[in-house]
């Protein structure tokens, strides 16, 4: 990646939905989206975005009011999201695997005036509304069966589109690049989610940086993201980047299991695939892994957590397709540190994406030297404005143009960045820092290990010891002898103080819906067990 690359700057007056519609005017007949029910052309997308924007106005929703968007990945999602932006209404995109209490918090926190919800999630959202002090005026239900009975205040998504008077809103609301466009809630890998507020310009910035200078999509590409649209990573993969070049996007409503992903790769032949490390590992471990000649992949990307070197190398060896590992965040909207097609080193997160500045600081705020662990800070135009209603967290994260990522990294003399772990996950064993990620990568190199997570526990003397939770590959039985063998395996490859003193075999690691390991849940579990002992 060339740091001298010129990055296009968002215009001062910008409505990102209108920007995408205008860019793709000449592609009216080309397929923009494919989902489980059919296709949507660029012309149909533009028409339905305008219709949905008009429908929001006819429902009484005004500029800058918030709307909860809790829907599966179908063509209704981009229509709803872009329709809100077109109308100046603020969609609050939330993940689809939460419970009523979580949604109740989000509805109340965002003061949502309406909720756009998949029919399969309607009961959960109704329960959430019953628990919330804020009651949305309107429910807009996506993909409801024709004979389904809906609540009194509910409207069918397709009926709103059909009945909308587009003359009420033939032009987009005149927003600026710094106007609030949408919210995302942080994924919860470290506890309670935070409402992260993004602008129209933030979307433009991710397309102009990572999208243009690393990913390199063209209008002939067909993309498929296992990461869902509610996730910052998935929003870029399945909306911002492909629509910014006129590509075609595959959407899948179901959970991205290896088998479900394989069906899409083989039947719909995407050229670019976006996954997360745990999914890549699961795909490689699956007996249903398709052969190279069955797919048409030319490029893959990975984010969410750092990709272990072995997983990247094995995936490329099998499919002949590089996996561009990088790191992004909800706060920065997408990837700001990444490998690139012409600069790829598995086991690292690559180099800064053109358009972003990075620095590594010690606990005193002083820059660290080469090959030293430091806290990662990033500066770039995609940074969120704030956490809504959370001044303390906003001040701790957004620091005069710089954003504190909460990740620790090491930079070598050639400028490659290697992940060292989340700042709150780092362990200090025998007076020396231990990166959980480094140990986990080593554990996963063992031929019988599928996944692993490392945490610190306190022994009877008050000292920190490391403990690994290990998921074995299918058909492998756990045993004390295997635990001893795995410890020996790590000792032979890492410094002596880094091997896990204890190993517990478990069936599944706790994860967020986006695939991040929730080590804090393992720590809570250990504390609860110690208290009850």
């Amino acid at each position: 990646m060339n740091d001298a690359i010129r990055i296009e700057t968002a215009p001062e007056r910008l409505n990102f939905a209108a920007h995408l519609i205008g860019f793709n005017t000449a592609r009216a007949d080309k397929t923009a989206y494919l989902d489980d029910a059919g296709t949507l052309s660029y012309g149909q997308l533009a028409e339905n975005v305008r219709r949905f924007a008009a429908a929001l106005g006819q429902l009484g929703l005004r500029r800058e009011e918030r709307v909860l968007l809790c829907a599966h990945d179908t063509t209704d999602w981009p229509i709803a999201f872009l329709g809100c932006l077109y109308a100046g209404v603020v969609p609050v995109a939330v993940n689809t695997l939460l419970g009523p209490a979580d949604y109740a918090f989000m509805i109340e926190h965002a003061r949502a005036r309406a909720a756009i919800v998949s029919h399969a999630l309607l009961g959960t959202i109704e329960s959430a509304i019953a628990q919330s002090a804020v009651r949305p005026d309107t429910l807009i239900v996506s993909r409801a069966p024709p004979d389904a009975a809906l609540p009194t205040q509910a409207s069918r998504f397709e009926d709103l589109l059909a009945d909308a008077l587009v003359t009420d809103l033939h032009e987009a609301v005149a927003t600026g690049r710094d106007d609030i466009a949408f919210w995302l809630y942080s994924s919860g890998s470290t506890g309670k989610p935070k409402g992260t507020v993004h602008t129209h310009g933030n979307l433009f910035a991710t397309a102009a940086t990572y999208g243009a200078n690393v990913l390199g999509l063209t209008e002939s590409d067909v993309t498929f993201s296992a990461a869902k649209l509610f996730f910052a990573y998935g929003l870029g993969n399945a909306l911002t980047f492909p629509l910014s070049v006129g590509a075609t996007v595959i959407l899948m409503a179901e959970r991205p299991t290896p088998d479900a992903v394989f069906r899409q790769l083989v039947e719909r032949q995407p050229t670019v695939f976006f996954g997360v490390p745990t999914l890549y590992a699961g795909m490689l471990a699956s007996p249903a892994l398709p052969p190279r000649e069955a797919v048409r992949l030319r490029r893959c990307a990975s984010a969410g957590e750092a990709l272990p070197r072995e997983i990247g190398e094995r995936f490329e060896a099998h499919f002949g397709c590089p996996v561009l590992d990088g790191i992004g965040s909800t706060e920065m909207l997408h990837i700001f540190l990444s490998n690139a097609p012409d600069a790829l080193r598995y086991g690292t997160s690559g180099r800064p994406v053109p358009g972003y500045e990075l620095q590594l600081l010690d606990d005193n705020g002083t820059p660290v030297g080469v090959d030293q662990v430091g806290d990662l800070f990033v500066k770039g135009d995609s940074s969120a404005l704030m956490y809504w209603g959370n001044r303390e967290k906003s001040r701790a994260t957004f620091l005069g143009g710089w954003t504190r990522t909460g990740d620790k990294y090491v930079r070598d003399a050639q400028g490659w960045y290697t992940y060292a772990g989340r700042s709150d996950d780092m362990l200090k064993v025998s007076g020396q820092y231990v990166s959980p990620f480094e140990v986990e990568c080593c554990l996963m190199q063992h031929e019988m290990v599928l996944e692993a997570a490392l945490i610190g526990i306190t022994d009877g003397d008050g000292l920190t010891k490391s403990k690994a939770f290990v998921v074995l590959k299918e058909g492998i039985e756990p045993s004390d002898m295997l635990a001893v063998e795995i410890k020996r395996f790590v000792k032979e490859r890492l410094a002596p103080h880094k091997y896990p003193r204890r190993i517990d075999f478990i069936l599944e690691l706790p994860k967020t819906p986006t695939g991040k390991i929730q080590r804090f849940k393992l720590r809570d579990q250990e504390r609860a067990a110690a208290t009850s002992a």
Side-chain angles (χ1 to χ4, degrees):
M1 291 180 288
N2 185 350
D3 290 337
I5 292 173
R6 183 179 176 185
I7 306 299
E8 187 179 2
T9 302
E12 185 175 349
R13 305 307 303 170
L14 175 68
N15 182 297
F16 192 71
H19 164 74
L20 291 179
I21 288 173
F23 177 78
N24 290 297
T25 300
R27 298 184 182 87
D29 295 331
K30 185 183 179 186
T31 298
Y33 283 99
L34 302 89
D35 70 6
D36 301 327
T39 64
L40 185 75
S41 71
Y42 272 100
Q44 292 168 325
L45 175 64
E47 172 70 13
N48 285 329
V49 165
R50 293 189 180 102
R51 284 185 172 275
F52 192 75
L56 292 173
Q58 290 157 20
L59 289 170
L61 287 156
R62 297 171 295 181
R63 181 172 176 171
E64 298 183 1
E65 291 184 324
R66 272 85 63 190
V67 172
L68 194 80
L69 175 53
C70 183
H72 292 137
D73 279 21
T74 71
T75 56
D76 289 354
W77 204 104
I79 290 169
F81 182 84
L82 293 173
C84 287
L85 267 59
Y86 198 88
V89 172
V90 178
V92 179
V94 300
N95 83 58
T96 57
L97 297 175
L98 302 179
D102 297 302
Y103 293 131
F105 163 76
M106 293 171 178
I107 290 168
E108 190 167 332
H109 183 239
R111 299 184 184 89
R113 283 280 320 279
I116 306 162
V117 56
S118 290
H119 182 261
L121 303 171
L122 180 58
T124 304
I125 292 298
E126 286 186 285
S127 296
I129 292 172
Q131 297 176 33
S132 173
V134 172
R135 303 293 174 90
D137 302 323
T138 303
L139 288 174
I140 301 170
V141 184
S142 167
R143 304 292 169 106
D147 57 349
L150 300 183
T152 305
Q153 79 274 31
S155 300
R156 293 176 183 271
F157 189 91
E158 63 271 23
D159 291 345
L160 287 180
L161 294 181
D163 297 341
L165 300 173
V166 290
T167 54
D168 288 357
L169 186 64
H170 62 282
E171 291 184 356
V173 169
T175 52
R177 65 187 175 206
D178 292 333
D179 282 344
I180 295 174
F182 65 102
W183 296 14
L184 298 173
Y185 275 92
S186 61
S187 61
S189 62
T190 57
K192 195 171 186 179
K194 301 174 287 292
T196 311
V197 179
H198 280 288
T199 69
H200 288 265
N202 291 160
L203 289 161
F204 189 99
T206 60
T209 53
Y210 178 83
N213 295 301
V214 176
L215 192 56
L217 292 181
T218 70
E219 64 179 332
S220 62
D221 276 312
V222 178
T223 73
F224 171 47
S225 176
K228 300 299 185 180
L229 280 159
F230 68 77
F231 183 27
Y233 178 45
L235 180 63
N237 303 341
L239 190 148
T240 309
F241 304 147
L243 299 193
S244 291
V245 299
T248 296
V249 185
I250 298 166
L251 295 178
M252 182 179 75
E254 66 182 297
R255 285 183 62 243
T257 63
D259 285 349
V261 169
F262 294 154
R263 284 196 298 273
Q264 299 295 334
L265 296 183
V266 172
E267 294 174 9
R268 289 189 161 161
Q269 296 285 294
T271 57
V272 180
F273 172 66
F274 305 88
V276 297
T278 53
L279 177 58
Y280 283 113
M283 291 167 68
L284 289 171
S286 171
L289 182 71
R292 177 187 297 198
E293 58 271 18
V295 305
R296 198 163 65 97
L297 294 174
R298 72 175 185 88
R299 185 165 297 164
C300 295
S302 180
E305 287 194 305
L307 181 73
R309 181 182 64 190
E310 184 208 15
I311 299 299
E313 290 175 344
R314 287 176 55 207
F315 194 92
E316 180 170 0
H318 181 83
F319 286 113
C321 171
V323 183
L324 308 182
D325 185 34
I327 181 176
S329 67
T330 304
E331 292 76 10
M332 295 303 296
L333 190 54
H334 211 273
I335 293 171
F336 51 81
L337 172 63
S338 182
N339 284 274
D342 59 349
L344 175 61
R345 185 180 292 181
Y346 288 118
T348 79
S349 297
R351 292 168 169 162
V353 170
Y356 292 94
E357 297 179 55
L358 273 63
Q359 58 180 353
L360 296 177
L361 305 179
D362 64 18
D363 293 342
N364 298 316
T366 303
V368 303
V370 170
D371 296 329
Q372 293 183 322
V373 175
D375 290 300
L376 181 66
F377 289 75
V378 57
K379 179 188 288 187
D381 287 343
S382 64
S383 175
L385 291 176
M386 60 180 155
Y387 298 127
W388 187 265
N390 197 332
R391 190 173 187 179
E392 180 182 358
K393 289 288 186 182
S394 295
R395 282 180 165 179
T397 300
F398 305 107
L399 307 166
W402 291 94
T403 299
R404 184 196 307 270
T405 67
D407 293 300
K408 286 189 180 290
Y409 265 85
V410 175
R411 182 183 62 249
D412 71 12
Q414 289 76 46
W416 295 90
Y417 285 73
T418 300
Y419 183 64
R422 290 290 297 175
S423 297
D424 44 14
D425 286 334
M426 291 292 287
L427 309 179
K428 210 163 192 179
V429 178
S430 301
Q432 301 176 78
Y433 274 119
V434 173
S435 163
F437 179 72
E438 180 186 16
V439 180
E440 290 160 4
C441 285
C442 185
L443 287 163
M444 289 172 63
Q445 290 174 27
H446 193 282
E447 62 181 358
M448 297 184 183
V449 174
L450 176 63
E451 292 181 318
L454 191 82
I455 66 168
I457 59 174
T458 304
D459 67 12
D461 297 321
L463 300 175
T464 298
K465 303 293 184 184
S466 57
K467 177 177 180 178
F469 293 84
V470 171
V471 179
L472 296 174
K473 291 181 179 178
E474 188 174 352
I476 305 298
E477 291 295 327
S479 68
D480 291 342
M481 184 176 290
L482 180 56
V484 171
E485 156 60 20
I486 291 174
K487 289 180 184 179
R488 182 195 61 76
F489 180 86
V490 176
K491 280 182 184 180
E492 291 176 350
R493 288 159 176 78
L494 299 179
H497 70 280
K498 295 182 179 181
Y499 86 92
R501 277 20 179 212
R502 284 181 55 189
I503 291 180
D504 275 9
F505 295 109
I506 59 176
L507 296 177
E508 187 177 11
L509 295 174
K511 297 171 189 169
T512 70
T514 55
K516 294 181 182 179
I517 296 172
Q518 294 176 307
R519 294 175 186 84
F520 76 92
K521 288 192 174 180
L522 296 173
R523 291 194 292 267
D524 290 347
Q525 173 184 309
E526 286 297 303
R527 280 193 289 267
T531 301
S532 61

